């Protein structure tokens, strides 16, 4: 598979993470005491619940080499050490963490019980959950002990995302988390959502997916032009599924009049400027869309995979949107490159959140 353009885009993200973590290291040096550099950031701690997986260990080694952050590998330390030895990976700069022996386990079990007691969770169950790495990692993230979590390498997507949805608060004004892929073509970068989470979104959820995707595009310094996709063009078909998309467009328009968004429209209308100009000159989209919002998960997930397999696109993602902390779920069996990419995105997100907190 070609990995040209995605490497360029990710190089920029990695350099951003690196620059900021160098600032953090400098601030710890004696000639720059922290008091003189209040804006300096601490190194980002990235938790990997599947820390005993070979690809995760290799990716962690690259994350250290690149200066993206500090990986924390979850699992049995002897097993991780044995695997690292086989792979020739130096674990020295990394932390190994086993929930079974971690000093915060009982405190976190009590906190989880308090959060979930009215959702049918008993204290005994809370304690059992805290032995599970996919629950322990988001609890440590919530507690501020970790700055980001990257998981899902060896689990089914729903099983990796569910603990985060139960534990982590959502972004302000957002009630649904959603997933996005960046697709890179020869001369184009397209953001596609929701490709991973909401199976049958209602109008409000679709609107939130569009808002989160717009914010994600801006985080990559891209000004979003958003199309909500359908099998219909601006009312050409009368159907409840079309009404739902139109309703979502209006909701976004009311909430964020600054955004360029329109729909419902078919995929070729959204991406072909000639069709937009000749047939739909009234559209708020004057150029082809660079953010495509799919009407449901079936179409979104199938479309992005086809674009990668048959359309020659390179994919970066999935990027989980809407959670108030950087928590990302990989596609199962993700490559080492894909893991490093998501870790770099998570590190930059954690740094930005820290900077926002400081300036608030
Ligand atoms: N945003 C925020 N919270 C949510 C969301 C959401 N989109 N969906 C569910 N939740 C919350 C619920 O409110 C609930 O919280 P609570 O327990 O505090 O009340 C909790 O998550 C669990 O909710 P359930 O209704 O039990 O949700 P369920 O676990 O059935 O489903 C899930 C959630 C896992 C996201 C489901 O919608 C799903 O399986 N989606 C598809 C995932 C998938 O298979 N993706 C495609 C493959 S990924 C790929 O190709 C890379």
């Amino acid at each position: 598979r070609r990995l040209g353009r995605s490497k360029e885009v990710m190089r920029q993200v990695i350099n951003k993470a690196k620059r900021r973590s160098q600032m953090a290291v400098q601030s710890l040096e004696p000639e720059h005491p922290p008091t003189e550099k209040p804006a300096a950031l601490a190194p980002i701690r990235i938790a990997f619940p599947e820390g005993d997986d070979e690809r995760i260990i290799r990716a962690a080694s690259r994350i250290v080499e690149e200066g993206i952050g500090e990986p924390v590998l979850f699992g049995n330390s002897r097993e991780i050490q044995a695997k690292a030895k086989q792979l020739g990976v130096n674990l020295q700069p990394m932390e190994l963490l086993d929930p079974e022996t971690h000093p915060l386990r009982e405190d976190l079990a009590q906190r989880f019980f308090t959060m979930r007691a009215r959702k049918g969770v008993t204290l005994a169950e809370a304690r059992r959950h805290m032995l599970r790495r996919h629950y322990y990692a988001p609890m440590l993230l919530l507690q501020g002990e970790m700055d980001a979590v990257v998981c899902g390498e060896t689990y089914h997507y729903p099983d990796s995302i569910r603990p985060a949805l139960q534990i982590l608060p959502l972004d302000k004004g957002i009630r649904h988390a959603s997933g996005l892929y960046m697709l890179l073509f020869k001369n184009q970068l397209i953001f596609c959502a929701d490709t991973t989470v909401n199976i049958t979104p209602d109008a409000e959820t679709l609107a939130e997916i569009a808002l989160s995707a717009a914010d994600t595009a801006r985080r990559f310094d891209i000004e979003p032009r958003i199309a909500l996709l359908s099998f219909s063009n601006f009312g050409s078909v009368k159907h409840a599924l079309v009404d739902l998309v139109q309703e979502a467009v209006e909701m976004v328009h009311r909430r964020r009049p600054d955004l360029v968004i329109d729909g419902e429209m078919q995929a070729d209308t959204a991406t072909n400027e000639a069709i937009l100009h000749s047939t739909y000159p009234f559209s708020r989209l004057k150029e082809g869309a660079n953010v495509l919002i799919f009407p449901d998960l079936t179409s979104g997930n199938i479309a992005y995979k086809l674009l990668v397999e048959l359309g020659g696109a390179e994919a970066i993602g999935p990027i989980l949107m809407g959670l108030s902390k950087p928590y990302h779920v990989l596609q199962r069996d993700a490559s080492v490159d894909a893991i490093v990419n998501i870790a770099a995105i998570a590190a930059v997100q954690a740094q930005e959140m820290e900077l926002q907190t400081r300036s608030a």
Side-chain angles (χ1 to χ4, degrees), residues 240-311:
L241 290 174
V242 173
D243 297 343
L244 185 147
V245 177
Q246 286 176 353
E247 211 184 312
V249 171
E250 284 319 304
M251 281 179 182
V252 177
H253 203 53
R254 275 198 305 274
R255 275 178 71 169
R256 292 273 296 275
D258 61 301
L259 290 175
V260 175
I261 176 167
D262 217 336
E264 89 298 350
M265 68 180 84
Q266 295 176 355
D268 53 350
T269 306
T271 49
N272 186 328
E273 239 164 78
I275 302 180
L276 275 172
H277 289 168
S278 60
T279 319
Y280 308 104
F282 56 85
S283 170
R284 290 191 281 259
L285 271 183
K286 300 298 173 204
E287 292 172 63
N290 56 12
V291 178
L292 301 180
I293 305 300
F294 292 87
D296 58 19
L297 186 57
T298 306
S299 54
N301 190 271
I302 291 172
Y304 101 79
K305 285 183 191 262
L306 280 179
L307 288 168
V308 170
E309 294 300 326
L310 303 178

Side-chain angles (χ1 to χ4, degrees), residues 184-242:
L184 294 109
F185 298 87
K186 207 165 161 211
N187 298 312
Q188 237 177 334
L189 168 57
I190 301 277
F191 295 82
C192 294
D194 179 355
T195 46
T196 58
V197 183
N198 298 280
I199 299 172
T200 47
D202 58 12
E204 183 192 291
T205 312
L206 265 189
E208 288 188 359
I209 294 167
L211 291 169
S212 298
D215 290 341
T216 302
R218 282 187 176 159
R219 284 218 323 268
F220 286 90
D221 299 324
I222 304 279
E223 194 46 34
R225 302 185 299 275
I226 311 161
L228 265 72
L229 302 180
S230 170
F231 52 85
S232 165
N233 275 314
F234 301 101
S236 63
V237 180
K238 308 285 170 225
H239 193 279
L241 290 174
V242 173

Side-chain angles (χ1 to χ4, degrees), residues 1-150:
R1 206 179 289 281
R2 290 180 310 115
L3 280 176
R5 290 217 56 214
S6 61
K7 279 213 161 126
E8 281 167 36
V9 171
M10 286 315 306
R11 179 50 47 201
Q12 287 170 19
V13 176
I14 288 169
N15 286 343
K16 209 179 202 181
K18 206 162 158 171
R19 261 199 315 279
R20 290 191 182 143
S21 39
Q22 277 164 357
M23 265 168 65
V25 172
Q26 279 166 13
S27 77
L28 300 174
E29 289 168 359
E31 65 270 30
H32 299 289
T35 46
E36 285 175 26
K37 284 198 146 207
L41 293 160
I44 297 299
R45 301 181 78 206
I46 309 168
F48 290 95
E50 290 129 288
D52 48 8
D53 179 79
E54 283 190 18
R55 264 176 287 201
I56 296 287
I57 296 173
R58 285 187 206 276
S61 166
R62 286 256 309 276
I63 288 163
V64 172
E65 255 173 58
E66 297 272 11
I68 293 169
E70 293 182 354
V72 180
L73 302 179
F74 284 40
N76 177 291
S77 49
R78 272 206 216 124
E79 280 174 26
I80 299 174
Q81 277 155 354
K83 276 196 187 151
K85 198 170 169 193
Q86 267 176 9
L87 297 170
V89 167
N90 174 17
L91 289 177
Q92 204 67 35
M94 301 178 209
E95 182 183 334
L96 307 187
L97 188 155
D98 188 347
E100 286 197 26
T101 53
H102 195 253
L104 287 179
R105 185 157 61 84
E106 179 57 21
D107 289 353
L108 294 184
Q110 294 288 347
R111 185 169 183 190
F112 185 74
F113 173 59
T114 308
M115 288 163 59
R116 306 287 299 168
R118 288 174 187 274
K119 300 266 180 186
V121 175
T122 63
L123 181 56
E125 281 167 341
R127 288 190 173 122
R128 274 200 300 279
H129 274 315
M130 289 308 107
L131 290 167
R132 297 171 62 192
R133 303 182 220 163
H134 285 77
Y135 275 86
Y136 207 64
M139 283 304 289
L140 284 173
L141 183 60
L142 181 70
Q143 189 84 356
E145 294 287 322
M146 298 290 147
D147 301 305
V149 174
V150 174

Side-chain angles (χ1 to χ4, degrees), residues 115-116 119 156-168 170 174-178 181 194-200 205 208 297 301 304-305 317-318 321-323 329-332:
M115 288 163 59
R116 306 287 299 168
K119 300 266 180 186
H156 288 301
Y157 193 91
D159 297 330
S160 295
I161 194 178
R162 197 174 289 112
L165 298 179
Q166 291 174 352
I167 292 168
L168 299 172
L170 292 163
I174 293 288
R175 296 192 333 162
H176 296 88
S178 55
Y181 265 95
D194 179 355
T195 46
T196 58
V197 183
N198 298 280
I199 299 172
T200 47
T205 312
E208 288 188 359
L297 186 57
N301 190 271
Y304 101 79
K305 285 183 191 262
M321 310 184 293
L323 291 178
V329 180
L330 299 160
Q331 183 167 10
R332 207 177 157 144

